[in-house]
Amino acid sequence: MRNDVKDYIRTHQERFLSELFGLLRIPSVSADSRYKADVRKAAEWVKDQLLAAGAGEARLYDTPGHPVVYAEKIISDSLPTVLVYGHYDVQPPDPLELWDSPPFEPVLKNGKIYARGACDDKGQMYVHIKAFETLMQLNQLPCNVKFMIEGEEEVGSQHLGEFVRQNKALLKADVIIISDTSMLSNEQPSITVGLRGLSYVEVELTGPNRDLHSGVYGGAVGNPANILCELIASLKDKDRKITIPGFYDDVIELTPEERKQMAQIPFDEEDYKKHLGLNALDGEKGFTPYELTTVRPSLDVNGIWSGYTGEGAKTVLPARAFAKISMRLVPYQDPEKITRLFSEYLLAIAPPSVTVRISPHHGGKPVLVPTHSRAYHAAELAYEKSFGKKPLPVRSGGSIPIVALFEETLGLTSLLLGFGLDTDAIHSPNEHFGVFNFLKGIETICYFYQNYRHL
Ligand code: BES
Ligand code: MN
Ligand code: MN
């Protein structure tokens, strides 16, 4: 039987790729104000592509930060409406010297697109624009579609919450679809049914009023760097359990049945270690690596600095020490409560020789996606048709804080239909996205619309 969708994608795949390369060349790094104009350029680009793909309307909404791109194609009020969310901003590309090719000069190598944002999320977001084009061109778009593509995801979606609250009518829809996660493998597709939440804090320890000679003063004066290490070390016990009082209070433990189901998900520990260059894994006792990265909370130093780090040896006892710490949260932990518990505990255990300042950064709530909805079923069938295999529901360890907010403000569930792989090196040097994944993604999203309409 002829498959119009597949034919269209095959005929136009070269153009799809060269268009995506155009977007990947724009360095839309939301965290760095030097790229502000480029971030806007990327927004304009997305808007233009949405219009070219067939949107009836597309515009930028300015926010106090980076703009939101909104577009829609309304066919009929009596049809269901799908809202597509994605982000056109990217993480900073550093460290640049570890890239095999420049991060904003996309190249195709071994069937993969290499560039910052290739997978997270420009490539995956573009899947949706091309799926939309495909159905428009084939005259087969079976429902209304709205697009909301933001430029501040990688900095915590600072202003999107307000935009959503202010534009509830504009964003009215029946379901949200998002491709900003990964799947198990190209042979075994999966749909993400859970995301971890996030609490992110910066800690500053101050000791003496200036850097001191470490010989003249060392021994009698509390060293903020030493003390910071001590404090961080005491946040976990010997079984790698987090010691903050109350931290686990709201964590739901999985039932033996749920754990058994999770154990069915293919996971090769040897492969995992090899890929990461590790001799051994390390984590809370009593849980599998898959559980540890998805259904258990975690606490990690993301950055730590103090004292002299230049060439040679400067003998100095630093006046201050800093750390950025992330805590990944699971249902039903609340990021604000966790930030409070963290702060109270750190202040309680810090010795009087230092003063502690804790500044919270962005956070977000964990997410669970129900698997018995009409929309989930439509997605399941779509993957089955494009990949030839039923997708497994899996939990993921990453965070997309805005998803919980969509649920709270719009009352909508989001389907997390990611096509990347965990090995795509998102946020790392040499980020990439498989051409196979890009094209399969387009195909799957087309089938999703067709199924969602007919179920
Ligand atoms: N796309 C990622 C989240 C993700 C990646 C979820 C892989 C599941 C699997 C997103 O762009 C991201 O990086 N989110 C941040 C949180 C944000 C507040 C900066 C994260 O998870 O660190
Ligand atoms: Mn992302
Ligand atoms: Mn990201």
Side-chain angles (χ1 to χ4, degrees):
M1 201 176 83
R2 256 196 77 218
N3 180 325
D4 297 347
V5 164
K6 258 185 151 151
D7 285 350
Y8 187 88
I9 297 170
R10 200 175 299 125
T11 311
H12 296 275
Q13 62 181 48
E14 296 301 323
R15 174 174 56 80
F16 288 0
L17 279 173
S18 77
E19 287 167 3
L20 173 59
F21 275 38
L23 177 61
L24 293 170
R25 284 192 192 97
I26 308 173
S28 48
V29 180
S30 51
D32 188 337
S33 57
R34 287 174 300 177
Y35 292 100
K36 196 168 166 61
D38 289 305
V39 177
R40 193 176 183 88
K41 203 167 137 194
E44 295 279 0
W45 188 96
V46 170
K47 183 198 76 182
D48 291 343
Q49 290 296 327
L50 280 161
L51 284 172
E57 217 181 307
R59 52 184 180 266
L60 299 195
Y61 282 85
D62 282 314
T63 74
H66 302 299
V68 176
V69 185
Y70 176 83
E72 62 179 35
K73 178 70 194 176
I74 305 297
I75 300 173
S76 157
D77 284 348
S78 60
L79 290 170
T81 302
V82 175
L83 174 60
V84 177
Y85 164 81
H87 62 96
Y88 64 81
D89 65 321
V90 299
Q91 285 275 323
D94 334 45
L96 285 174
E97 65 278 12
L98 295 184
W99 284 79
D100 294 333
S101 55
F104 298 109
E105 291 172 30
V107 290
L108 204 61
K109 216 168 60 185
N110 306 324
K112 295 175 188 118
I113 308 155
Y114 283 82
R116 170 56 86 231
C119 175
D120 185 12
D121 181 43
K122 286 172 170 174
Q124 296 213 69
M125 178 273 291
Y126 207 53
V127 158
H128 287 268
I129 300 187
K130 292 299 100 174
F132 173 60
E133 175 195 309
T134 301
L135 293 181
M136 284 298 289
Q137 287 299 320
L138 294 173
N139 228 336
Q140 289 180 17
L141 186 73
C143 50
N144 304 314
V145 188
K146 296 178 173 179
F147 291 86
M148 177 173 62
I149 314 296
E150 72 152 320
E152 296 192 301
E153 198 280 338
E154 299 292 7
V155 288
S157 301
Q158 297 262 344
H159 302 101
L160 193 67
E162 184 60 16
F163 176 81
V164 171
R165 276 188 288 272
Q166 298 287 324
N167 292 281
K168 282 192 207 162
L170 183 73
L171 302 172
K172 193 173 176 321
D174 297 284
V175 70
I176 300 178
I177 58 175
I178 304 173
S179 297
D180 196 20
T181 50
S182 49
M183 51 177 202
L184 285 171
S185 70
N186 288 352
E187 295 72 42
Q188 177 55 68
S190 57
I191 296 178
T192 300
V193 294
L195 291 169
R196 288 199 286 187
L198 178 66
S199 158
Y200 197 107
V201 292
E202 193 164 328
V203 178
E204 179 185 342
L205 255 57
T206 307
N209 57 9
R210 59 196 159 89
D211 285 5
L212 304 173
H213 189 289
S214 63
V216 175
Y217 291 97
V221 173
N223 181 327
N226 289 35
I227 293 169
L228 182 59
C229 294
E230 227 174 80
L231 292 178
I232 290 169
S234 65
L235 293 174
K236 291 189 192 179
D237 68 15
K238 61 172 194 341
D239 291 333
R240 298 282 192 255
K241 213 169 150 77
I242 295 161
T243 53
I244 300 169
F247 187 87
Y248 292 96
D249 280 3
D250 303 319
V251 173
I252 38 162
E253 305 281 338
L254 296 195
T255 62
E257 187 50 40
E258 286 172 313
R259 292 191 73 182
K260 223 163 91 193
Q261 270 173 22
M262 278 193 87
Q264 306 292 307
I265 302 289
F267 179 84
D268 185 330
E269 189 163 332
E270 285 313 309
D271 236 39
Y272 188 80
K273 286 193 292 196
K274 203 169 141 213
H275 179 76
L276 299 175
L278 292 169
N279 296 321
L281 298 181
D282 191 325
E284 187 186 355
K285 211 171 142 188
F287 296 94
T288 66
Y290 177 43
E291 288 171 337
L292 288 170
T293 53
T294 58
V295 298
R296 296 300 293 170
S298 61
L299 182 153
D300 281 287
V301 173
N302 291 230
I304 183 164
W305 68 104
S306 177
Y308 183 70
T309 56
E311 196 184 331
K314 179 189 180 195
T315 51
V316 65
L317 192 162
R320 296 197 289 171
F322 305 82
K324 291 178 195 279
I325 295 173
S326 71
M327 287 163 279
R328 297 286 171 167
L329 312 178
V330 300
Y332 290 94
Q333 288 179 298
D334 175 65
E336 279 174 29
K337 178 173 169 189
I338 292 297
T339 301
R340 180 172 56 77
L341 293 176
F342 173 92
S343 308
E344 286 170 0
Y345 184 56
L346 210 68
L347 291 170
I349 63 172
S353 52
V354 290
T355 48
V356 182
R357 206 173 84 188
I358 298 157
S359 333
H361 282 267
H362 48 62
K365 289 186 183 163
V367 172
L368 279 177
V369 183
T371 54
H372 35 254
S373 67
R374 183 166 90 93
Y376 186 88
H377 195 52
E380 216 171 25
L381 291 173
Y383 277 81
E384 212 171 329
K385 181 163 174 185
S386 60
F387 287 88
K389 204 157 180 192
K390 193 172 166 175
L392 293 172
V394 298
R395 302 273 292 261
S396 172
S399 310
I400 311 177
I402 202 69
V403 174
L405 199 129
F406 288 155
E407 170 111 50
E408 283 169 19
T409 25
L410 301 174
L412 293 179
T413 41
S414 301
L415 291 181
L416 302 165
L417 311 176
F419 300 102
L421 299 175
D422 279 345
T423 50
D424 284 347
I426 64 170
H427 295 206
S428 300
N430 302 315
E431 175 177 354
H432 53 273
F433 189 38
V435 173
F436 171 84
N437 302 67
F438 177 60
L439 300 174
K440 272 290 167 204
I442 299 170
E443 191 185 335
T444 307
I445 296 301
C446 288
Y447 299 153
F448 169 77
Y449 284 117
Q450 295 175 339
N451 296 339
Y452 186 61
R453 168 72 184 88
H454 290 300
L455 278 176

